């Protein structure tokens, strides 16, 4: 459902913040290197290990919150794309 990248990472970070914590705090509490976790959210670690880590991160951030935030951001991006396309 999710395309790893900037949008997904931003939504995950926002979901952690809305829960009163942070992406970095979750990484530290779970013994996960922040750079490795960031690579998973950006899709740079897309193998089995990276995909499993991404799932753990999404669950910890709150899957429902991530789904809603991601859908909202993707709709905004699609609307922006359509505006640019019509103008150009």
């Amino acid at each position: 459902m999710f395309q790893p990248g900037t949008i997904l990472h931003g939504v995950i970070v926002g979901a952690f913040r809305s829960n009163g914590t942070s992406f970095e705090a979750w990484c530290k509490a779970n013994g996960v290197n922040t750079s490795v976790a960031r690579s998973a959210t950006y899709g740079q670690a897309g193998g089995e290990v990276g995909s499993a880590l991404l799932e753990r991160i999404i669950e910890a951030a709150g899957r429902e919150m991530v789904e809603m935030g991601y859908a909202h951001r993707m709709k905004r991006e699609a609307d922006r794309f359509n505006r640019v396309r019509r103008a150009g």
Side-chain angles (χ1 to χ4, degrees):
M1 165 170 189
F2 303 112
Q3 176 66 43
T6 303
I7 292 173
L8 180 58
H9 180 78
V11 168
I12 288 170
V13 168
F16 276 115
R17 285 186 188 146
S18 72
N19 289 325
T21 187
S22 70
F23 179 75
E24 292 79 9
W26 180 87
C27 290
K28 185 175 181 180
N30 287 275
V32 176
N33 180 292
T34 304
S35 295
V36 172
R38 191 174 293 113
S39 291
T41 64
Y42 276 93
Q44 297 165 335
E48 283 186 35
V49 173
S51 295
L53 177 56
L54 178 58
E55 284 300 313
R56 280 181 59 206
I57 293 167
I58 290 169
E59 287 299 322
R63 181 168 292 278
E64 188 173 308
M65 176 92 59
V66 173
E67 287 176 357
M68 288 187 320
Y70 186 78
H72 178 74
R73 288 287 306 275
M74 292 305 288
K75 183 177 180 333
R76 276 192 0 211
E77 288 299 313
D79 291 345
R80 184 181 66 79
F81 173 79
N82 287 326
R83 281 193 309 274
V84 169
R85 191 181 68 173
R86 283 189 298 258

